[in-house]
Structure formats: C-alpha cells, structure tokens
Amino acid sequence: MCSRCGLKHEAAKVQTVCVNCTGTLFAQYDLEGVKNSLRKDELPKRPPSMWKYLEVLPVQRQQNIVSLGEGFTPIIRIKSLSHKYGLKNLLLKDDGLMPTGSFKARGMSSAISKLKELGVTKVALASAGNAAGAAAAYSARAGIEAHIFVPRDAPEINKKECSQMGAHVYLVDGLISDAAKIVSLNCEKRGWFNLSTLREPYRVEGKKTMGYEIAEQSDWELPDVIIYPTGGGTGLVGMWKAFDELQKLGWTKPEKPRMVCVQSEGCDPVVLAYESRRESVEPFLSAHTAASGLCVPYPYASEQILRVIRQSGGTAVAVSDEEIIESMNQLHREGLFVCPEGAATLSGLLKLLDTGWLDKNEKILLYNTGSGLKYPHLMTTRSFPLLPKDTKEIDLKTK
Ligand SMILES: *Cc1c(COP(=O)(O)O)cnc(C)c1O
Ligand SMILES: [Zn+2]
C-alpha cells in the first residue's frame, strides 16, 4: 500500500513505487490471521534467524529464501561506558556480526528472496558501500545479475567485495545521489530491478526484523529510547513498522521507544529538516563524512523518517566526524569493534545527556549497524615493537 496516497498494489507482482504518486510502498499482512495462528512464545523455539518471522515477511514459499545466516545478533550491555556516564541500562545491538558485515544483509536477504520468488533476474543499485556488498552477496547466492553503482571515493574494500562476488561494478564521479540518478535512468532500458533505498517495498521488510528481534530479545519489553545512525532511513522506518505490527499483534505494550536519528554534521539533511519543522528534507549540498553509510544527501523517504521521529516523540541530532571517531575508539576499547556509523550513536547519546533530553535511568539501545573491519582507513596507524626472531625474553619497556 502507498504510504502517501493509500493506493493498494498487488503483492504477487513485482512492485517498485506507487504507480499513482511515486510514494514509497509498504507491505501489509493479515495480522489478525497471524495473531490467531502464531503465539509469540513459539518464536524462541525457532532457529535464531531473521527468517523466524516468516509470517510477517514478504516471501510466500520458504524454499525461495536466500539466506547466509542473517539475524539474531546479540544485544550487549555496555559496561565501562555506562559506568563512566552514570547510565543504568545502556545496550548495544551488534549487527557488525551479520553476513557481509552490516545490517544491510537483512534488507538484501529479504529483497533478493522476494525477487527470486517473483522471477526477477537482474538488479541494479546505487550504494555508498555496505548495501552494495550485501546486494552482491545475495545476488550471487540467488544467481541474479547485479549492477552496482558506487561513488568513486567509496572505500576500496566495498568495491572489491562486490567484484569478488561477481557483481558488475561501476564507479560514479559524484555522490550517491548522482549514482542513484544513473541507476533510475537505466533500469527500464536494461530490464534491471532498481534496488535503491525505499524505491521498492522489499528491503525495508528485512530491516523490520531489527524491531522484531529487539522485542523478542528483550522479552517483549521494548527499550525507552533507540538511537539509530540514519542515512537512507530504512532502518528507522523499518523498526517503526515492526513496532506498529507488534502492537497490532498484541505482543508488546502500547508504549513504543522514542526513536533518535543520528547523522553526521557533514551530511545531516534530516536533522536540519527536523529542526526547522519541515515535513521533508532539502538536498544537502557538498556532503562528506567518514561515516560513509550516513552520506545520503537526499533520502528518498524523508517524509517517513521525519514522521517516525515525531510520532515516537524522538529527536534528531548531528555529531561531528571527530566525535564519531572518538566514540568509535571508546567502543573499540570495550571490545566492541563497531563501524563509525554505529559509533555515531554514542556521540548522539552524549549530546542528548548534555541537553538533558535523556534520563540516565532509561533503557537506551544503541544500534551498531556494521563491523569496524571495513573501515581500517579510519583507524590510527601505530608502530608496534618489532622482536628479533630469536627473542627469548621480552623487555616490557620496549615501546
Ligand atoms: C546504510 C548504513 C546506514 C544507514 O542506514 P539507513 O537505515 O538506510 O538509514 C548506517 N550504518 C551503516 C553501516 C550503513 O551501511
Ligand atoms: Zn501513492
């Protein structure tokens, strides 16, 4: 169904955006039916995968699922930092452990599965990095041809990972928005399905499983606040859809988390729109940030993102790249090898503690969207002691 004009579209056909108004489409389910046929206490007995929520995912037949073992990532209590800042209940959900190293695997597993079910054989995507890797991996698994358009200055590792997995990689001399334009201009001609963020209804369904997992893993008691690093916005919008469905299913209480959108000062169109009370964003000019997943100057679904922030009683904050790197280093020291985007949530948290928006007793969940492994270029190059190979005893004073 269209999120803007409400027009219904058929689930058994390939869908992109609304045929009437080009609004984002959202899948709808017979939640009454699910409520009657599935009890929530059945869920912990199923294998720990995002596909355990099949009843509320778009794939009809289980055999069409394209999976690399995604989902059910741990929620970890952050100890020393909680202590340092006097926080009672600070948690981090770690999607750095997902296949392909980021939460983008959720959306791609669900989208590629559905497209396989619908008989699609070619896909195209513009991506700043992690979505590209996930699209390449799931397409490879499904035997689908993938055409991936990456901004020229995207990290080398993302380009390599795509070509290693057999995708056709094109570098675009511009930003993600320029890449997206090229994709949309060529999809029809080439018969490619456009997988770009929220221009199709299937990826957000996979992202939605973040919300289901948080609920099930917290014994159906949702956190008070979720802090999420927002780029294209599918994560935020997807989680909110999950919380909505969970409430309709009667599995969670009516109170939902306040959703906090964190962006980088180098690209914060959502924060600017939120602060000036607009309903959609203006394109952000000359965007640049070390947190490449947040470098989305003109998110297609900004109306939905802003609606989620406002409806949930949340807020939007921008943090600098210096703050992001500092938070990343702090979390790494705690054994959590997060990506810069995930680290931005800690910077956002500190800002909101300063302003008093957050209460130290609240249950706060930071969402880490990816692994630090793909970002070696952001880590300090150190020199380490070099030991001769016949070393018998180590002088601990060696620097
Ligand atoms: C894509 C990406 C984001 C932004 O995700 P959205 O849900 O599209 O806002 C955040 N972090 C990482 C690591 C990403 O790859
Ligand atoms: Zn519409």
Side-chain angles (χ1 to χ4, degrees):
M1 192 168 87
C2 176
S3 59
R4 204 181 282 157
C5 76
L7 184 71
K8 290 211 165 116
H9 294 66
E10 224 179 295
K13 283 201 184 133
V14 179
Q15 300 293 352
T16 54
V17 291
C18 176
V19 292
N20 180 37
C21 76
T22 72
T24 304
L25 297 178
F26 285 112
Q28 287 197 311
Y29 302 86
D30 169 21
L31 294 175
E32 264 322 292
V34 176
K35 191 174 177 175
N36 294 330
S37 63
L38 178 65
R39 292 203 331 261
K40 69 178 178 189
D41 47 349
E42 292 297 316
L43 288 166
K45 295 177 203 154
R46 294 185 177 181
S49 147
M50 73 170 226
W51 287 102
K52 64 155 63 184
Y53 308 109
L54 187 62
E55 285 89 343
V56 289
L57 289 171
V59 174
Q60 301 293 326
R61 301 173 65 184
Q62 206 154 353
Q63 76 218 51
N64 290 324
I65 293 175
V66 183
S67 175
L68 293 164
E70 49 292 320
F72 247 71
T73 51
I75 293 180
I76 298 162
R77 191 166 293 282
I78 301 184
K79 286 191 184 139
S80 57
L81 289 175
S82 308
H83 194 73
K84 181 171 170 188
Y85 299 112
L87 296 161
K88 271 257 177 63
N89 204 349
L90 179 62
L91 305 164
L92 178 133
K93 184 157 168 73
D94 194 3
D95 269 13
L97 298 167
M98 291 289 278
T100 74
S102 90
F103 83 113
K104 292 285 196 309
R106 295 179 186 272
M108 289 304 170
S109 179
S110 121
I112 296 292
S113 300
K114 184 63 187 174
L115 293 174
K116 185 181 153 201
E117 185 163 87
L118 294 169
V120 170
T121 57
K122 294 173 188 174
V123 298
L125 168 77
S127 160
N130 285 318
Y138 287 92
S139 298
R141 290 290 291 181
I144 286 177
E145 195 178 294
H147 298 268
I148 295 183
F149 296 76
V150 186
R152 175 191 182 158
D153 61 358
E156 271 319 299
I157 181 67
N158 299 91
K159 301 170 197 163
K160 282 186 183 155
E161 121 180 266
C162 294
S163 65
Q164 282 292 113
M165 289 187 283
H168 302 263
V169 179
Y170 310 82
L171 302 186
V172 175
D173 194 6
L175 293 169
I176 177 85
S177 42
D178 303 305
K181 221 171 285 162
I182 298 178
V183 171
S184 56
L185 286 173
N186 282 277
C187 272
E188 206 170 324
K189 253 179 274 172
R190 300 273 171 195
W192 298 341
F193 179 88
N194 190 350
L195 268 177
S196 300
T197 304
L198 290 173
R199 289 176 199 217
E200 49 71 43
Y202 312 123
R203 283 174 64 191
V204 69
E205 292 302 297
K207 303 277 179 80
K208 185 178 85 176
T209 59
M210 298 192 282
Y212 277 86
E213 285 179 23
I214 291 171
E216 184 183 336
Q217 291 173 302
S218 333
D219 239 350
W220 312 101
E221 300 257 346
L222 294 171
D224 298 308
V225 177
I226 294 178
I227 309 186
Y228 185 83
T230 305
T234 37
L236 207 69
V237 172
M239 271 191 278
W240 193 248
K241 186 170 190 279
F243 298 147
D244 223 40
E245 291 174 3
L246 281 161
Q247 200 184 322
K248 291 191 178 119
L249 288 164
W251 292 356
T252 53
K253 298 204 185 94
E255 301 83 49
K256 292 188 215 151
R258 279 144 48 221
M259 305 298 281
V260 176
C261 152
V262 178
Q263 297 201 299
S264 162
E265 282 167 7
C267 180
D268 63 346
V270 176
V271 178
L272 295 175
Y274 175 77
E275 285 174 350
S276 52
R277 299 192 167 79
R278 283 198 304 270
E279 275 171 27
S280 61
V281 304
E282 315 255 287
F284 189 96
L285 302 176
S286 28
H288 184 80
T289 165
S292 44
L294 307 187
C295 203
V296 185
Y298 192 45
Y300 191 72
S302 68
E303 290 163 53
Q304 273 84 38
I305 303 171
L306 287 158
R307 199 183 302 152
V308 168
I309 298 169
R310 292 191 177 115
Q311 267 184 12
S312 72
T315 188
V317 286
V319 296
S320 69
D321 273 14
E322 293 74 48
E323 290 169 311
I324 291 175
I325 302 293
E326 169 61 21
S327 293
M328 187 175 81
N329 293 339
Q330 285 203 51
L331 286 162
H332 287 183
R333 287 299 179 97
E334 191 150 330
L336 300 163
F337 205 58
V338 300
C339 62
E341 295 85 352
T345 62
L346 175 61
S347 307
L349 168 94
L350 299 180
K351 282 237 156 110
L352 295 173
L353 277 178
D354 273 351
T355 62
W357 192 88
L358 275 174
D359 180 333
K360 294 189 170 186
N361 297 313
E362 292 185 292
K363 180 169 163 185
I364 302 165
L365 185 136
L366 307 182
Y367 211 108
N368 177 44
T369 41
S371 163
L373 286 172
K374 289 195 211 173
Y375 303 81
H377 53 286
L378 299 181
M379 295 169 204
T380 313
T381 307
R382 295 192 166 85
S383 59
F384 308 104
L386 180 65
L387 307 175
K389 65 181 171 193
D390 58 354
T391 301
K392 295 208 176 57
E393 204 174 318
I394 297 161
D395 177 3
L396 291 179
K397 286 201 291 284
T398 312
K399 177 75 188 73

